[in-house]
């Protein structure tokens, strides 16, 4: 089955700096890679996703890159703000909606004002 | 509001007991997923249903079982509860099928086993 590894597990950055979270996946059939943000005590919410036919996707201060050859994808947050502090999960899924979505262990991001 | 409804929000019970967690997916979503999140832990996949059929199974304990009913709501049954079963249980739904679609999470059911 799919295995998703995520690092770092914790990340502290100064407000205004950039943050990068990296994930690798094992199943070459995976073709959908979402990122979820979970604030303390709340449900995970999708912040950005990318499909395997795209190498990069950007949405304001957030961007995701995908390297299918290396089975590696990353989340980039620029100009971080205190409200970006949360746990971020990467995930991978193959075969449309017929397969499970496998999540990484999560990265606890702290943005220091 | 994600449109996914989970009940109960909080549940406190004793070891050895049995509980049922309920999930109503978003209107139109056919896939339901169950995840377990222990304190400061990630999202551990338990089981997935699509239009009433089991599609994928994670490391779900034999003491746990689930089903998706014809009206698409799902229930997760946890029996012979142990202290270690204390966790936040999330249900998520998506359109499913070849489209797949984004997972929308419910608010979770927090289970405390004393």
């Amino acid at each position: 089955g799919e295995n998703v590894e995520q690092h770092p597990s914790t990340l502290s950055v100064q407000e205004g700096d950039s943050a990068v979270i990296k994930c690798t996946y094992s199943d070459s059939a995976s073709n959908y890679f979402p990122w979820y943000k979970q604030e303390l005590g709340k449900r995970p919410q999708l912040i950005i996703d990318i499909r395997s036919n795209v190498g990069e996707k950007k949405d304001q201060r957030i961007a995701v890159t995908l390297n299918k050859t290396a089975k590696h994808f990353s989340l980039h947050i620029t100009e971080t703000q205190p409200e970006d502090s949360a746990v971020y999960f990467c995930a991978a899924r193959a075969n449309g909606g017929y397969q499970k979505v496998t999540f990484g262990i999560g990265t606890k991001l702290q943005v220091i004002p | 509001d994600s449109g996914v409804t989970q009940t109960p929000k909080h549940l406190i019970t004793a070891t050895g007991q049995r509980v049922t967690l309920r999930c109503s997916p978003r209107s139109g979503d056919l896939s339901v997923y169950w995840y377990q999140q222990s304190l400061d832990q990630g999202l551990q996949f338990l089981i997935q249903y699509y239009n009433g059929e089991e599609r994928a199974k994670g490391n779900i304990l034999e003491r746990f079982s689930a089903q998706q009913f014809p009206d698409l709501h799902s229930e997760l049954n946890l029996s012979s509860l142990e202290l270690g079963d204390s966790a936040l249980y999330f249900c998520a739904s998506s359109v499913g099928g070849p489209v797949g679609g984004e997972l929308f999470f419910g608010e979770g059911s927090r289970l405390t086993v004393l």
Side-chain angles (χ1 to χ4, degrees):
Chain A
E2 175 67 277
N3 182 47
V4 177
E5 295 188 356
Q6 180 174 352
H7 61 96
S9 56
T10 60
L11 179 60
S12 291
V13 299
Q14 290 292 135
E15 182 178 356
D17 287 350
S18 296
V20 180
I21 302 170
K22 299 182 179 181
C23 291
T24 59
Y25 61 98
S26 61
D27 188 352
S28 57
S30 289
N31 55 13
Y32 175 65
F33 307 92
W35 287 87
Y36 282 79
K37 176 183 180 182
Q38 185 179 26
E39 297 178 354
L40 190 62
K42 297 190 176 181
R43 60 185 172 89
Q45 290 187 269
L46 181 75
I47 54 172
I48 194 167
D49 56 13
I50 190 168
R51 297 187 183 273
S52 59
N53 58 348
V54 175
E56 183 174 356
K57 184 176 179 180
K58 190 173 181 180
D59 182 5
Q60 298 183 338
R61 297 185 296 108
I62 293 173
V64 58
T65 59
L66 171 65
N67 182 329
K68 286 189 295 182
T69 303
K71 295 182 188 171
H72 171 274
F73 58 114
S74 300
L75 178 72
H76 304 253
I77 306 175
T78 59
E79 301 173 16
T80 53
Q81 301 169 2
E83 52 264 38
D84 294 330
S85 295
V87 178
Y88 291 81
F89 293 96
C90 64
R93 182 181 67 198
N95 194 22
Y98 297 115
Q99 296 295 327
K100 65 180 181 180
V101 178
T102 302
F103 284 84
I105 195 66
T107 296
K108 187 173 184 178
L109 173 65
Q110 181 185 19
V111 179
I112 304 167
Chain B
D1 183 8
S2 66
V4 178
T5 303
Q6 287 188 248
T7 58
K9 287 186 170 51
H10 302 276
L11 190 55
I12 301 174
T13 188
T15 55
Q17 296 298 304
R18 172 191 170 95
V19 298
T20 297
L21 309 181
R22 181 187 170 101
C23 170
S24 294
R26 289 191 327 149
S27 176
D29 283 358
L30 299 180
S31 268
V32 169
Y33 307 74
W34 285 97
Y35 288 88
Q36 180 192 54
Q37 186 173 45
S38 301
L39 191 62
D40 289 336
Q41 295 295 309
L43 295 160
Q44 299 298 317
F45 172 73
L46 295 178
I47 200 163
Q48 176 199 358
Y49 287 87
Y50 174 73
N51 203 20
E53 292 187 7
E54 181 183 308
R55 295 297 307 209
K57 213 168 189 177
N59 294 325
I60 186 168
L61 299 171
E62 286 191 8
R63 299 184 286 107
F64 295 1
S65 65
Q67 56 183 324
Q68 186 180 27
F69 295 85
D71 67 352
L72 301 177
H73 91 272
S74 178
E75 292 181 358
L76 178 66
N77 300 296
L78 315 175
S79 62
S80 302
L81 286 169
E82 302 175 358
L83 295 178
D85 297 328
S86 295
L88 189 54
Y89 291 85
F90 282 107
C91 168
S93 74
S94 73
V95 171
V99 173
E102 171 186 350
L103 260 65
F104 291 87
F105 283 82
E107 298 294 331
S109 291
R110 183 170 296 282
L111 172 66
T112 302
V113 182
L114 301 176

